[in-house]
Amino acid sequence: DAGVTQSPTHLIKTRGQQVTLRCSPKSGHDTVSWYQQALGQGPQFIFQYYEEEERQRGNFPDRFSGHQFPNYSSELNVNALLLGDSALYLCASSFQQGFGTNTGELFFGEGSRLTVL
Amino acid sequence: AQSVAQPEDQVNVAEGNPLTVKCTYSVSGNPYLFWYVQYPNRGLQFLLKYITGDNLVKGSYGFEAEFNKSQTSFHLKKPSALVSDSALYFCAVRDMNSGYSTLTFGKGTMLLVSP
């Protein structure tokens, strides 16, 4: 049973560039959440995708956008990169957004380490 | 809004001694509470959760946590620490009544277990 997979694992960009990060959820999961973890900080919620739509969003600018595909995989796009965007980007999957009988427990990938120079 | 506080940046304990990592939370409704562990340059691994029922929950690797509603706390504990327990620990909360289904994390506590 494959867990959450993310790619790439590491990447380096320069200010002003754009980046796309990818995530495949755990088998049987249909909801993908993205988190940003800056150095020395806890994960900060960016947004959540379910049924190919953004369902919830944290306090991040519109430069951060995403997409979910019919197979439940997801992309995170960041435009006009800033130095402050350097972080570990974590993808987490769950089932039915955590509603219903689901307790909302998240399963995380290993993350994509983005460095902006 | 939901929030989590982990008051200690770092906890130091000798191998074989009991350990406690503190967490307090704030939600308007009833909480779902979680502990995750992160090893260097890795993602977060689930340790345990409190949903309802017994206030003492047991999880992976011998860890347990005690839910205290009156103190709004969910401290992580282990009777006997191992050097391999050294890692970054995150407490997280979800307000099950809010309609907001994502988890909010604390800033993390680094646990260092010395031989």
Side-chain angles (χ1 to χ4, degrees), chain A residues 3-11 20-26 32-36 74-76 87-93 107-113, chain B residues 42-44:
Chain A
V4 180
T5 58
Q6 292 187 242
S7 64
T9 55
H10 296 83
L11 68 168
T20 298
L21 308 177
R22 296 175 177 82
C23 171
S24 293
K26 177 181 170 65
V32 172
S33 300
W34 286 93
Y35 285 80
Q36 180 196 66
S74 176
E75 289 182 349
L76 164 65
L88 181 67
Y89 287 85
L90 295 165
C91 171
S93 73
F107 291 80
F108 284 84
E110 296 294 312
S112 294
R113 173 75 63 185
Chain B
R42 304 296 295 276
L44 275 66

PDB file of all heavy atoms in Angstrom, chain A residues 3-11 20-26 32-36 74-76 87-93 107-113, chain B residues 42-44:
ATOM      1  N   GLY A   3       2.091   4.903   0.322  1.00  0.00           N
ATOM      2  CA  GLY A   3       1.716   6.044   1.127  1.00  0.00           C
ATOM      3  C   GLY A   3       1.656   7.282   0.265  1.00  0.00           C
ATOM      4  O   GLY A   3       1.544   7.219  -0.964  1.00  0.00           O
ATOM      5  N   VAL A   4       1.757   8.439   0.888  1.00  0.00           N
ATOM      6  CA  VAL A   4       1.736   9.713   0.179  1.00  0.00           C
ATOM      7  C   VAL A   4       3.107   9.934  -0.477  1.00  0.00           C
ATOM      8  O   VAL A   4       4.132   9.822   0.193  1.00  0.00           O
ATOM      9  CB  VAL A   4       1.418  10.866   1.138  1.00  0.00           C
ATOM     10  CG1 VAL A   4       1.409  12.190   0.386  1.00  0.00           C
ATOM     11  CG2 VAL A   4       0.086  10.624   1.836  1.00  0.00           C
ATOM     12  N   THR A   5       3.108  10.225  -1.760  1.00  0.00           N
ATOM     13  CA  THR A   5       4.368  10.463  -2.456  1.00  0.00           C
ATOM     14  C   THR A   5       4.401  11.878  -3.001  1.00  0.00           C
ATOM     15  O   THR A   5       3.386  12.388  -3.502  1.00  0.00           O
ATOM     16  CB  THR A   5       4.573   9.463  -3.603  1.00  0.00           C
ATOM     17  OG1 THR A   5       3.471   9.555  -4.515  1.00  0.00           O
ATOM     18  CG2 THR A   5       4.638   8.041  -3.074  1.00  0.00           C
ATOM     19  N   GLN A   6       5.556  12.516  -2.879  1.00  0.00           N
ATOM     20  CA  GLN A   6       5.731  13.889  -3.334  1.00  0.00           C
ATOM     21  C   GLN A   6       6.959  13.977  -4.239  1.00  0.00           C
ATOM     22  O   GLN A   6       7.936  13.267  -4.051  1.00  0.00           O
ATOM     23  CB  GLN A   6       5.931  14.842  -2.155  1.00  0.00           C
ATOM     24  CG  GLN A   6       4.715  15.010  -1.288  1.00  0.00           C
ATOM     25  CD  GLN A   6       4.919  16.083  -0.237  1.00  0.00           C
ATOM     26  OE1 GLN A   6       4.881  15.816   0.963  1.00  0.00           O
ATOM     27  NE2 GLN A   6       5.123  17.322  -0.678  1.00  0.00           N
ATOM     28  N   SER A   7       6.876  14.903  -5.205  1.00  0.00           N
ATOM     29  CA  SER A   7       8.024  15.165  -6.068  1.00  0.00           C
ATOM     30  C   SER A   7       8.037  16.626  -6.484  1.00  0.00           C
ATOM     31  O   SER A   7       6.971  17.259  -6.537  1.00  0.00           O
ATOM     32  CB  SER A   7       7.962  14.268  -7.321  1.00  0.00           C
ATOM     33  OG  SER A   7       6.819  14.580  -8.096  1.00  0.00           O
ATOM     34  N   PRO A   8       9.214  17.196  -6.715  1.00  0.00           N
ATOM     35  CA  PRO A   8      10.522  16.619  -6.427  1.00  0.00           C
ATOM     36  C   PRO A   8      10.830  16.682  -4.936  1.00  0.00           C
ATOM     37  O   PRO A   8      10.120  17.331  -4.179  1.00  0.00           O
ATOM     38  CB  PRO A   8      11.462  17.533  -7.219  1.00  0.00           C
ATOM     39  CG  PRO A   8      10.772  18.862  -7.182  1.00  0.00           C
ATOM     40  CD  PRO A   8       9.294  18.559  -7.249  1.00  0.00           C
ATOM     41  N   THR A   9      11.887  16.034  -4.502  1.00  0.00           N
ATOM     42  CA  THR A   9      12.247  16.070  -3.092  1.00  0.00           C
ATOM     43  C   THR A   9      12.991  17.348  -2.743  1.00  0.00           C
ATOM     44  O   THR A   9      12.836  17.870  -1.629  1.00  0.00           O
ATOM     45  CB  THR A   9      13.108  14.862  -2.715  1.00  0.00           C
ATOM     46  OG1 THR A   9      14.238  14.838  -3.582  1.00  0.00           O
ATOM     47  CG2 THR A   9      12.328  13.571  -2.857  1.00  0.00           C
ATOM     48  N   HIS A  10      13.795  17.823  -3.662  1.00  0.00           N
ATOM     49  CA  HIS A  10      14.530  19.066  -3.462  1.00  0.00           C
ATOM     50  C   HIS A  10      14.526  19.859  -4.765  1.00  0.00           C
ATOM     51  O   HIS A  10      14.581  19.267  -5.846  1.00  0.00           O
ATOM     52  CB  HIS A  10      15.996  18.814  -3.076  1.00  0.00           C
ATOM     53  CG  HIS A  10      16.167  18.132  -1.764  1.00  0.00           C
ATOM     54  ND1 HIS A  10      16.068  16.775  -1.622  1.00  0.00           N
ATOM     55  CD2 HIS A  10      16.448  18.629  -0.528  1.00  0.00           C
ATOM     56  CE1 HIS A  10      16.281  16.451  -0.353  1.00  0.00           C
ATOM     57  NE2 HIS A  10      16.506  17.550   0.328  1.00  0.00           N
ATOM     58  N   LEU A  11      14.476  21.180  -4.636  1.00  0.00           N
ATOM     59  CA  LEU A  11      14.632  22.020  -5.807  1.00  0.00           C
ATOM     60  C   LEU A  11      15.081  23.409  -5.390  1.00  0.00           C
ATOM     61  O   LEU A  11      14.776  23.860  -4.272  1.00  0.00           O
ATOM     62  CB  LEU A  11      13.368  22.073  -6.649  1.00  0.00           C
ATOM     63  CG  LEU A  11      12.112  22.745  -6.138  1.00  0.00           C
ATOM     64  CD1 LEU A  11      11.140  22.904  -7.307  1.00  0.00           C
ATOM     65  CD2 LEU A  11      11.444  21.994  -5.030  1.00  0.00           C
ATOM     66  N   THR A  20       6.226  24.238  -9.444  1.00  0.00           N
ATOM     67  CA  THR A  20       5.111  23.303  -9.317  1.00  0.00           C
ATOM     68  C   THR A  20       5.573  22.090  -8.535  1.00  0.00           C
ATOM     69  O   THR A  20       6.583  21.467  -8.877  1.00  0.00           O
ATOM     70  CB  THR A  20       4.594  22.857 -10.689  1.00  0.00           C
ATOM     71  OG1 THR A  20       4.096  23.999 -11.401  1.00  0.00           O
ATOM     72  CG2 THR A  20       3.473  21.838 -10.537  1.00  0.00           C
ATOM     73  N   LEU A  21       4.833  21.774  -7.491  1.00  0.00           N
ATOM     74  CA  LEU A  21       5.106  20.595  -6.670  1.00  0.00           C
ATOM     75  C   LEU A  21       3.959  19.616  -6.835  1.00  0.00           C
ATOM     76  O   LEU A  21       2.805  20.019  -6.997  1.00  0.00           O
ATOM     77  CB  LEU A  21       5.258  21.001  -5.196  1.00  0.00           C
ATOM     78  CG  LEU A  21       6.243  22.135  -4.913  1.00  0.00           C
ATOM     79  CD1 LEU A  21       6.233  22.482  -3.426  1.00  0.00           C
ATOM     80  CD2 LEU A  21       7.630  21.781  -5.389  1.00  0.00           C
ATOM     81  N   ARG A  22       4.267  18.329  -6.754  1.00  0.00           N
ATOM     82  CA  ARG A  22       3.281  17.299  -7.036  1.00  0.00           C
ATOM     83  C   ARG A  22       3.112  16.341  -5.875  1.00  0.00           C
ATOM     84  O   ARG A  22       4.058  16.088  -5.124  1.00  0.00           O
ATOM     85  CB  ARG A  22       3.669  16.553  -8.299  1.00  0.00           C
ATOM     86  CG  ARG A  22       3.671  17.433  -9.550  1.00  0.00           C
ATOM     87  CD  ARG A  22       4.161  16.739 -10.791  1.00  0.00           C
ATOM     88  NE  ARG A  22       4.067  17.612 -11.951  1.00  0.00           N
ATOM     89  CZ  ARG A  22       4.971  18.539 -12.271  1.00  0.00           C
ATOM     90  NH1 ARG A  22       6.058  18.693 -11.530  1.00  0.00           N
ATOM     91  NH2 ARG A  22       4.793  19.293 -13.335  1.00  0.00           N
ATOM     92  N   CYS A  23       1.899  15.784  -5.782  1.00  0.00           N
ATOM     93  CA  CYS A  23       1.574  14.907  -4.668  1.00  0.00           C
ATOM     94  C   CYS A  23       0.588  13.837  -5.120  1.00  0.00           C
ATOM     95  O   CYS A  23      -0.406  14.145  -5.786  1.00  0.00           O
ATOM     96  CB  CYS A  23       0.962  15.722  -3.524  1.00  0.00           C
ATOM     97  SG  CYS A  23       0.286  14.738  -2.175  1.00  0.00           S
ATOM     98  N   SER A  24       0.858  12.606  -4.727  1.00  0.00           N
ATOM     99  CA  SER A  24      -0.101  11.515  -4.917  1.00  0.00           C
ATOM    100  C   SER A  24      -0.544  11.045  -3.543  1.00  0.00           C
ATOM    101  O   SER A  24       0.306  10.691  -2.709  1.00  0.00           O
ATOM    102  CB  SER A  24       0.536  10.361  -5.692  1.00  0.00           C
ATOM    103  OG  SER A  24       0.816  10.741  -7.011  1.00  0.00           O
ATOM    104  N   PRO A  25      -1.840  11.025  -3.289  1.00  0.00           N
ATOM    105  CA  PRO A  25      -2.311  10.654  -1.951  1.00  0.00           C
ATOM    106  C   PRO A  25      -2.191   9.161  -1.679  1.00  0.00           C
ATOM    107  O   PRO A  25      -1.984   8.366  -2.597  1.00  0.00           O
ATOM    108  CB  PRO A  25      -3.780  11.075  -1.969  1.00  0.00           C
ATOM    109  CG  PRO A  25      -4.176  10.978  -3.411  1.00  0.00           C
ATOM    110  CD  PRO A  25      -2.949  11.358  -4.190  1.00  0.00           C
ATOM    111  N   LYS A  26      -2.338   8.840  -0.421  1.00  0.00           N
ATOM    112  CA  LYS A  26      -2.364   7.440  -0.003  1.00  0.00           C
ATOM    113  C   LYS A  26      -3.543   6.744  -0.679  1.00  0.00           C
ATOM    114  O   LYS A  26      -4.597   7.345  -0.889  1.00  0.00           O
ATOM    115  CB  LYS A  26      -2.509   7.391   1.514  1.00  0.00           C
ATOM    116  CG  LYS A  26      -2.621   6.025   2.150  1.00  0.00           C
ATOM    117  CD  LYS A  26      -2.790   6.173   3.658  1.00  0.00           C
ATOM    118  CE  LYS A  26      -3.157   4.859   4.322  1.00  0.00           C
ATOM    119  NZ  LYS A  26      -2.065   3.868   4.198  1.00  0.00           N
ATOM    120  N   VAL A  32      -6.633  16.100  -0.413  1.00  0.00           N
ATOM    121  CA  VAL A  32      -5.230  16.480  -0.294  1.00  0.00           C
ATOM    122  C   VAL A  32      -5.135  17.867   0.339  1.00  0.00           C
ATOM    123  O   VAL A  32      -5.820  18.804  -0.077  1.00  0.00           O
ATOM    124  CB  VAL A  32      -4.539  16.497  -1.670  1.00  0.00           C
ATOM    125  CG1 VAL A  32      -3.136  17.083  -1.553  1.00  0.00           C
ATOM    126  CG2 VAL A  32      -4.476  15.088  -2.246  1.00  0.00           C
ATOM    127  N   SER A  33      -4.294  17.966   1.355  1.00  0.00           N
ATOM    128  CA  SER A  33      -4.009  19.253   2.000  1.00  0.00           C
ATOM    129  C   SER A  33      -2.533  19.569   1.816  1.00  0.00           C
ATOM    130  O   SER A  33      -1.702  18.670   1.868  1.00  0.00           O
ATOM    131  CB  SER A  33      -4.342  19.197   3.493  1.00  0.00           C
ATOM    132  OG  SER A  33      -5.707  18.910   3.711  1.00  0.00           O
ATOM    133  N   TRP A  34      -2.247  20.851   1.654  1.00  0.00           N
ATOM    134  CA  TRP A  34      -0.857  21.289   1.513  1.00  0.00           C
ATOM    135  C   TRP A  34      -0.491  22.168   2.711  1.00  0.00           C
ATOM    136  O   TRP A  34      -1.277  23.021   3.144  1.00  0.00           O
ATOM    137  CB  TRP A  34      -0.679  22.088   0.226  1.00  0.00           C
ATOM    138  CG  TRP A  34      -0.689  21.253  -1.011  1.00  0.00           C
ATOM    139  CD1 TRP A  34      -1.763  20.946  -1.812  1.00  0.00           C
ATOM    140  CD2 TRP A  34       0.440  20.625  -1.626  1.00  0.00           C
ATOM    141  NE1 TRP A  34      -1.368  20.171  -2.876  1.00  0.00           N
ATOM    142  CE2 TRP A  34      -0.015  19.961  -2.783  1.00  0.00           C
ATOM    143  CE3 TRP A  34       1.813  20.566  -1.329  1.00  0.00           C
ATOM    144  CZ2 TRP A  34       0.840  19.242  -3.631  1.00  0.00           C
ATOM    145  CZ3 TRP A  34       2.659  19.853  -2.161  1.00  0.00           C
ATOM    146  CH2 TRP A  34       2.165  19.203  -3.298  1.00  0.00           C
ATOM    147  N   TYR A  35       0.703  21.945   3.206  1.00  0.00           N
ATOM    148  CA  TYR A  35       1.234  22.712   4.328  1.00  0.00           C
ATOM    149  C   TYR A  35       2.621  23.243   3.970  1.00  0.00           C
ATOM    150  O   TYR A  35       3.375  22.587   3.248  1.00  0.00           O
ATOM    151  CB  TYR A  35       1.359  21.836   5.578  1.00  0.00           C
ATOM    152  CG  TYR A  35       0.058  21.535   6.273  1.00  0.00           C
ATOM    153  CD1 TYR A  35      -0.802  20.534   5.818  1.00  0.00           C
ATOM    154  CD2 TYR A  35      -0.319  22.253   7.417  1.00  0.00           C
ATOM    155  CE1 TYR A  35      -1.997  20.267   6.467  1.00  0.00           C
ATOM    156  CE2 TYR A  35      -1.512  21.987   8.074  1.00  0.00           C
ATOM    157  CZ  TYR A  35      -2.341  20.991   7.596  1.00  0.00           C
ATOM    158  OH  TYR A  35      -3.527  20.723   8.243  1.00  0.00           O
ATOM    159  N   GLN A  36       2.926  24.420   4.509  1.00  0.00           N
ATOM    160  CA  GLN A  36       4.272  25.000   4.395  1.00  0.00           C
ATOM    161  C   GLN A  36       4.927  24.942   5.761  1.00  0.00           C
ATOM    162  O   GLN A  36       4.352  25.392   6.748  1.00  0.00           O
ATOM    163  CB  GLN A  36       4.188  26.454   3.921  1.00  0.00           C
ATOM    164  CG  GLN A  36       5.553  27.124   3.781  1.00  0.00           C
ATOM    165  CD  GLN A  36       5.438  28.640   3.684  1.00  0.00           C
ATOM    166  OE1 GLN A  36       5.031  29.311   4.625  1.00  0.00           O
ATOM    167  NE2 GLN A  36       5.800  29.190   2.525  1.00  0.00           N
ATOM    168  N   SER A  74      -2.499  15.831  -6.751  1.00  0.00           N
ATOM    169  CA  SER A  74      -2.617  17.280  -6.634  1.00  0.00           C
ATOM    170  C   SER A  74      -1.312  17.965  -6.975  1.00  0.00           C
ATOM    171  O   SER A  74      -0.239  17.358  -6.900  1.00  0.00           O
ATOM    172  CB  SER A  74      -3.039  17.642  -5.206  1.00  0.00           C
ATOM    173  OG  SER A  74      -3.083  19.040  -4.993  1.00  0.00           O
ATOM    174  N   GLU A  75      -1.410  19.224  -7.379  1.00  0.00           N
ATOM    175  CA  GLU A  75      -0.258  20.084  -7.611  1.00  0.00           C
ATOM    176  C   GLU A  75      -0.393  21.353  -6.778  1.00  0.00           C
ATOM    177  O   GLU A  75      -1.500  21.855  -6.563  1.00  0.00           O
ATOM    178  CB  GLU A  75      -0.153  20.477  -9.091  1.00  0.00           C
ATOM    179  CG  GLU A  75       0.254  19.357 -10.005  1.00  0.00           C
ATOM    180  CD  GLU A  75       0.381  19.833 -11.444  1.00  0.00           C
ATOM    181  OE1 GLU A  75      -0.049  20.959 -11.754  1.00  0.00           O
ATOM    182  OE2 GLU A  75       0.906  19.051 -12.261  1.00  0.00           O
ATOM    183  N   LEU A  76       0.753  21.833  -6.332  1.00  0.00           N
ATOM    184  CA  LEU A  76       0.842  23.137  -5.689  1.00  0.00           C
ATOM    185  C   LEU A  76       1.714  24.007  -6.583  1.00  0.00           C
ATOM    186  O   LEU A  76       2.826  23.608  -6.937  1.00  0.00           O
ATOM    187  CB  LEU A  76       1.467  23.003  -4.301  1.00  0.00           C
ATOM    188  CG  LEU A  76       1.970  24.285  -3.645  1.00  0.00           C
ATOM    189  CD1 LEU A  76       0.829  25.239  -3.349  1.00  0.00           C
ATOM    190  CD2 LEU A  76       2.739  23.961  -2.352  1.00  0.00           C
ATOM    191  N   ALA A  87      11.097  26.784   2.058  1.00  0.00           N
ATOM    192  CA  ALA A  87      10.465  25.986   3.115  1.00  0.00           C
ATOM    193  C   ALA A  87      10.357  24.540   2.652  1.00  0.00           C
ATOM    194  O   ALA A  87      10.643  24.216   1.502  1.00  0.00           O
ATOM    195  CB  ALA A  87       9.068  26.522   3.442  1.00  0.00           C
ATOM    196  N   LEU A  88       9.916  23.716   3.581  1.00  0.00           N
ATOM    197  CA  LEU A  88       9.534  22.341   3.260  1.00  0.00           C
ATOM    198  C   LEU A  88       8.030  22.346   3.009  1.00  0.00           C
ATOM    199  O   LEU A  88       7.255  22.783   3.859  1.00  0.00           O
ATOM    200  CB  LEU A  88       9.874  21.410   4.427  1.00  0.00           C
ATOM    201  CG  LEU A  88       9.549  19.929   4.245  1.00  0.00           C
ATOM    202  CD1 LEU A  88      10.431  19.306   3.156  1.00  0.00           C
ATOM    203  CD2 LEU A  88       9.731  19.177   5.561  1.00  0.00           C
ATOM    204  N   TYR A  89       7.629  21.893   1.841  1.00  0.00           N
ATOM    205  CA  TYR A  89       6.218  21.853   1.499  1.00  0.00           C
ATOM    206  C   TYR A  89       5.725  20.419   1.659  1.00  0.00           C
ATOM    207  O   TYR A  89       6.220  19.498   1.009  1.00  0.00           O
ATOM    208  CB  TYR A  89       5.995  22.379   0.084  1.00  0.00           C
ATOM    209  CG  TYR A  89       6.179  23.871   0.030  1.00  0.00           C
ATOM    210  CD1 TYR A  89       7.448  24.426  -0.137  1.00  0.00           C
ATOM    211  CD2 TYR A  89       5.108  24.740   0.214  1.00  0.00           C
ATOM    212  CE1 TYR A  89       7.643  25.796  -0.138  1.00  0.00           C
ATOM    213  CE2 TYR A  89       5.291  26.116   0.213  1.00  0.00           C
ATOM    214  CZ  TYR A  89       6.559  26.627   0.045  1.00  0.00           C
ATOM    215  OH  TYR A  89       6.731  27.996   0.055  1.00  0.00           O
ATOM    216  N   LEU A  90       4.750  20.293   2.527  1.00  0.00           N
ATOM    217  CA  LEU A  90       4.234  18.977   2.885  1.00  0.00           C
ATOM    218  C   LEU A  90       2.853  18.763   2.303  1.00  0.00           C
ATOM    219  O   LEU A  90       1.988  19.641   2.391  1.00  0.00           O
ATOM    220  CB  LEU A  90       4.160  18.835   4.408  1.00  0.00           C
ATOM    221  CG  LEU A  90       5.489  18.865   5.147  1.00  0.00           C
ATOM    222  CD1 LEU A  90       5.264  19.083   6.635  1.00  0.00           C
ATOM    223  CD2 LEU A  90       6.254  17.573   4.910  1.00  0.00           C
ATOM    224  N   CYS A  91       2.670  17.606   1.731  1.00  0.00           N
ATOM    225  CA  CYS A  91       1.362  17.185   1.254  1.00  0.00           C
ATOM    226  C   CYS A  91       0.812  16.159   2.237  1.00  0.00           C
ATOM    227  O   CYS A  91       1.550  15.296   2.727  1.00  0.00           O
ATOM    228  CB  CYS A  91       1.488  16.581  -0.139  1.00  0.00           C
ATOM    229  SG  CYS A  91       0.009  15.777  -0.757  1.00  0.00           S
ATOM    230  N   ALA A  92      -0.458  16.263   2.531  1.00  0.00           N
ATOM    231  CA  ALA A  92      -1.097  15.315   3.433  1.00  0.00           C
ATOM    232  C   ALA A  92      -2.408  14.857   2.832  1.00  0.00           C
ATOM    233  O   ALA A  92      -3.144  15.666   2.256  1.00  0.00           O
ATOM    234  CB  ALA A  92      -1.352  15.960   4.796  1.00  0.00           C
ATOM    235  N   SER A  93      -2.692  13.574   2.955  1.00  0.00           N
ATOM    236  CA  SER A  93      -3.950  13.077   2.415  1.00  0.00           C
ATOM    237  C   SER A  93      -4.858  12.574   3.523  1.00  0.00           C
ATOM    238  O   SER A  93      -4.417  12.229   4.624  1.00  0.00           O
ATOM    239  CB  SER A  93      -3.700  11.991   1.372  1.00  0.00           C
ATOM    240  OG  SER A  93      -3.270  10.774   1.965  1.00  0.00           O
ATOM    241  N   PHE A 107      -2.211  11.879   6.710  1.00  0.00           N
ATOM    242  CA  PHE A 107      -1.036  11.074   6.385  1.00  0.00           C
ATOM    243  C   PHE A 107      -0.140  11.934   5.500  1.00  0.00           C
ATOM    244  O   PHE A 107      -0.572  12.410   4.459  1.00  0.00           O
ATOM    245  CB  PHE A 107      -1.441   9.791   5.669  1.00  0.00           C
ATOM    246  CG  PHE A 107      -2.181   8.828   6.557  1.00  0.00           C
ATOM    247  CD1 PHE A 107      -3.519   9.002   6.828  1.00  0.00           C
ATOM    248  CD2 PHE A 107      -1.521   7.759   7.126  1.00  0.00           C
ATOM    249  CE1 PHE A 107      -4.207   8.126   7.657  1.00  0.00           C
ATOM    250  CE2 PHE A 107      -2.190   6.866   7.952  1.00  0.00           C
ATOM    251  CZ  PHE A 107      -3.539   7.060   8.223  1.00  0.00           C
ATOM    252  N   PHE A 108       1.106  12.104   5.922  1.00  0.00           N
ATOM    253  CA  PHE A 108       2.005  13.039   5.264  1.00  0.00           C
ATOM    254  C   PHE A 108       3.000  12.343   4.352  1.00  0.00           C
ATOM    255  O   PHE A 108       3.453  11.221   4.621  1.00  0.00           O
ATOM    256  CB  PHE A 108       2.793  13.836   6.298  1.00  0.00           C
ATOM    257  CG  PHE A 108       2.000  14.919   6.953  1.00  0.00           C
ATOM    258  CD1 PHE A 108       1.191  14.650   8.045  1.00  0.00           C
ATOM    259  CD2 PHE A 108       2.060  16.221   6.480  1.00  0.00           C
ATOM    260  CE1 PHE A 108       0.458  15.646   8.655  1.00  0.00           C
ATOM    261  CE2 PHE A 108       1.326  17.234   7.077  1.00  0.00           C
ATOM    262  CZ  PHE A 108       0.522  16.939   8.166  1.00  0.00           C
ATOM    263  N   GLY A 109       3.367  13.062   3.291  1.00  0.00           N
ATOM    264  CA  GLY A 109       4.500  12.666   2.479  1.00  0.00           C
ATOM    265  C   GLY A 109       5.791  13.166   3.097  1.00  0.00           C
ATOM    266  O   GLY A 109       5.787  13.815   4.152  1.00  0.00           O
ATOM    267  N   GLU A 110       6.910  12.880   2.416  1.00  0.00           N
ATOM    268  CA  GLU A 110       8.217  13.266   2.934  1.00  0.00           C
ATOM    269  C   GLU A 110       8.533  14.739   2.669  1.00  0.00           C
ATOM    270  O   GLU A 110       9.473  15.276   3.229  1.00  0.00           O
ATOM    271  CB  GLU A 110       9.298  12.396   2.292  1.00  0.00           C
ATOM    272  CG  GLU A 110       9.189  10.915   2.643  1.00  0.00           C
ATOM    273  CD  GLU A 110       9.435  10.677   4.109  1.00  0.00           C
ATOM    274  OE1 GLU A 110      10.426  11.198   4.641  1.00  0.00           O
ATOM    275  OE2 GLU A 110       8.628   9.973   4.747  1.00  0.00           O
ATOM    276  N   GLY A 111       7.752  15.374   1.817  1.00  0.00           N
ATOM    277  CA  GLY A 111       7.929  16.795   1.579  1.00  0.00           C
ATOM    278  C   GLY A 111       8.813  17.130   0.395  1.00  0.00           C
ATOM    279  O   GLY A 111       9.599  16.305  -0.077  1.00  0.00           O
ATOM    280  N   SER A 112       8.653  18.356  -0.079  1.00  0.00           N
ATOM    281  CA  SER A 112       9.508  18.926  -1.130  1.00  0.00           C
ATOM    282  C   SER A 112      10.213  20.128  -0.527  1.00  0.00           C
ATOM    283  O   SER A 112       9.563  21.073  -0.077  1.00  0.00           O
ATOM    284  CB  SER A 112       8.672  19.365  -2.330  1.00  0.00           C
ATOM    285  OG  SER A 112       8.074  18.278  -2.978  1.00  0.00           O
ATOM    286  N   ARG A 113      11.544  20.074  -0.514  1.00  0.00           N
ATOM    287  CA  ARG A 113      12.334  21.165   0.058  1.00  0.00           C
ATOM    288  C   ARG A 113      12.628  22.180  -1.029  1.00  0.00           C
ATOM    289  O   ARG A 113      13.351  21.901  -1.970  1.00  0.00           O
ATOM    290  CB  ARG A 113      13.633  20.616   0.626  1.00  0.00           C
ATOM    291  CG  ARG A 113      14.621  21.678   1.100  1.00  0.00           C
ATOM    292  CD  ARG A 113      14.220  22.302   2.406  1.00  0.00           C
ATOM    293  NE  ARG A 113      14.197  21.350   3.501  1.00  0.00           N
ATOM    294  CZ  ARG A 113      13.782  21.648   4.727  1.00  0.00           C
ATOM    295  NH1 ARG A 113      13.354  22.859   5.000  1.00  0.00           N
ATOM    296  NH2 ARG A 113      13.804  20.739   5.670  1.00  0.00           N
TER     297      ARG A 113
ATOM    298  N   ARG B  42      12.513  14.799   7.092  1.00  0.00           N
ATOM    299  CA  ARG B  42      11.459  13.835   6.794  1.00  0.00           C
ATOM    300  C   ARG B  42      10.096  14.474   6.975  1.00  0.00           C
ATOM    301  O   ARG B  42       9.958  15.565   7.536  1.00  0.00           O
ATOM    302  CB  ARG B  42      11.573  12.610   7.716  1.00  0.00           C
ATOM    303  CG  ARG B  42      12.894  11.896   7.689  1.00  0.00           C
ATOM    304  CD  ARG B  42      13.184  11.278   6.325  1.00  0.00           C
ATOM    305  NE  ARG B  42      12.258  10.234   5.977  1.00  0.00           N
ATOM    306  CZ  ARG B  42      12.369   8.967   6.360  1.00  0.00           C
ATOM    307  NH1 ARG B  42      13.385   8.597   7.128  1.00  0.00           N
ATOM    308  NH2 ARG B  42      11.493   8.071   5.967  1.00  0.00           N
ATOM    309  N   GLY B  43       9.061  13.777   6.515  1.00  0.00           N
ATOM    310  CA  GLY B  43       7.700  14.237   6.753  1.00  0.00           C
ATOM    311  C   GLY B  43       7.263  13.922   8.165  1.00  0.00           C
ATOM    312  O   GLY B  43       8.050  13.465   8.997  1.00  0.00           O
ATOM    313  N   LEU B  44       5.991  14.182   8.450  1.00  0.00           N
ATOM    314  CA  LEU B  44       5.448  13.938   9.787  1.00  0.00           C
ATOM    315  C   LEU B  44       4.853  12.538   9.866  1.00  0.00           C
ATOM    316  O   LEU B  44       4.147  12.093   8.961  1.00  0.00           O
ATOM    317  CB  LEU B  44       4.354  14.962  10.106  1.00  0.00           C
ATOM    318  CG  LEU B  44       4.804  16.300  10.676  1.00  0.00           C
ATOM    319  CD1 LEU B  44       5.613  17.084   9.674  1.00  0.00           C
ATOM    320  CD2 LEU B  44       3.597  17.103  11.141  1.00  0.00           C
TER     321      LEU B  44
END
